[in-house]
Amino acid sequence: MSKVNNQKIIKDMEQQAGTLDSENSVNNKSIRSVLQIVKSETTQDGEGVTLNRSFPNNYISEFDPFLLLDEIGPMHIKPGKQKGFPNHPHRGFETVTYLLEGKFEHRDSQGHAGTISAGDVQWMTAGSGVIHSEMPEKEFSKNGGKLHGFQLWVNLPKSNKMMKPRYQEIPHLKIPTETTKDGNVIVKIIAGESLDGKAVIDTITPIMYLHFKLEPGATIIQSIPKEYNVFAYIIKGKGVFEQGNNNSIVERGNLVIFDRDGKSVYVQAVKDSKVPLELLLIGGVPLREPIARYGPFVMNTQQEIYQAIEDYRNGKLG
Ligand code: FE2
């Protein structure tokens, strides 16, 4: 798997974006090719949580409009051993938590509290600021068990960075799920649209967040709006993706970055695999705004970062 140069990716994408206005280019190409395949790096964060981080890293600082993608676990929590993220602040962006296994409890400085379980999503718009904790739920923590999920950071446009914080907690039963007629493809629609389904979560800028499960040999052609940057993350199994005139086989734990030329993304689950292919397909309209970033604060200027730190120190954040 190749490690990538962020500047090169951006340059390549900008060049390709420039060709979108060319009729020949648009009409001749319907499938977006794979631009890069990036292996996630195993790391630790919070209080002993094992993460597979796709970005940011030394090679990709962000993938506009996304700032971070972490796979939480999969890890086993021993009974009585809390592993999570104690109190910490956020300002200027959104955190999206999607759990596949386990139970997380969330509490914040504005008195908001909630629990999310397997299949549930919490879409938190930090806006002007919250201080919150994300910890395993008490009973789950007492008994121990498997923890597996994702956290995605979505940047906010300049005009929304200081908006009032907002929470959307969507239980799994309310997340639209669509299945193809042959039953070989299932998609959970967290944001955006797929097959005949449309997400219930409201996003500040247009975002697509789809969780696909494909039986071995099954294929999808997912249409992608013209403006979107898009990537896939392989959760389980192996996927076949179109890369120029060749195909690439990509295994779990890898991020697949697509180019910006084309109307759809094509994926096939490897035929002779014993397990289905599971992947996240995530995309959004790039903001193309300056980014100033310091830990849990993501603003447009360094001055705004200093202000965030000062507000946090003075108890004015959250
Ligand atoms: Fe957080």
Side-chain angles (χ1 to χ4, degrees), residues 150-167:
F150 290 91
Q151 187 160 100
L152 175 74
W153 288 9
V154 183
N155 203 3
L156 284 170
K158 188 177 170 55
S159 53
N160 292 95
K161 281 200 175 286
M162 292 300 281
M163 68 181 277
K164 196 168 176 277
R166 175 174 90 160
Y167 295 88

Side-chain angles (χ1 to χ4, degrees), residues 114-271:
T115 301
I116 57 169
S117 305
D120 301 344
V121 177
Q122 187 208 57
W123 197 293
M124 182 189 81
T125 307
S128 61
V130 294
I131 299 167
H132 75 165
S133 66
E134 300 154 289
M135 299 298 289
E137 183 261 351
K138 282 189 189 68
E139 198 64 18
F140 173 74
S141 184
K142 200 171 114 191
N143 298 328
K146 202 171 169 189
L147 183 64
H148 190 196
F150 290 91
Q151 187 160 100
L152 175 74
W153 288 9
V154 183
N155 203 3
L156 284 170
K158 188 177 170 55
S159 53
N160 292 95
K161 281 200 175 286
M162 292 300 281
M163 68 181 277
K164 196 168 176 277
R166 175 174 90 160
Y167 295 88
Q168 296 175 83
E169 269 156 6
I170 314 292
H172 61 282
L173 290 175
K174 288 196 173 166
I175 291 175
T177 300
E178 296 286 328
T179 307
T180 51
K181 280 182 190 152
D182 61 10
N184 286 334
V185 178
I186 299 172
V187 58
K188 293 181 183 179
I189 307 162
I190 294 163
E193 297 176 29
S194 185
L195 294 174
D196 293 326
K198 195 170 187 287
V200 296
I201 291 174
D202 179 43
T203 63
I204 304 291
T205 57
I207 302 287
M208 163 187 283
Y209 190 149
L210 306 171
H211 177 184
F212 281 102
K213 185 176 177 186
L214 285 78
E215 292 302 320
T219 58
I220 49 166
I221 297 178
Q222 170 66 45
S223 65
I224 309 289
K226 184 178 160 184
E227 293 291 314
Y228 280 33
N229 282 339
V230 64
F231 65 81
Y233 181 82
I234 312 300
I235 307 170
K236 200 181 275 182
K238 289 180 191 173
V240 183
F241 296 86
E242 196 176 280
Q243 189 164 26
N245 294 323
N246 300 309
N247 285 335
S248 290
I249 296 178
V250 187
E251 299 182 1
R252 84 146 253 108
N254 284 284
L255 187 79
V256 180
I257 296 175
F258 298 94
D259 70 20
R260 296 196 62 221
D261 191 5
K263 296 170 183 164
S264 44
V265 160
Y266 166 87
V267 189
Q268 182 185 38
V270 167
K271 279 180 192 155

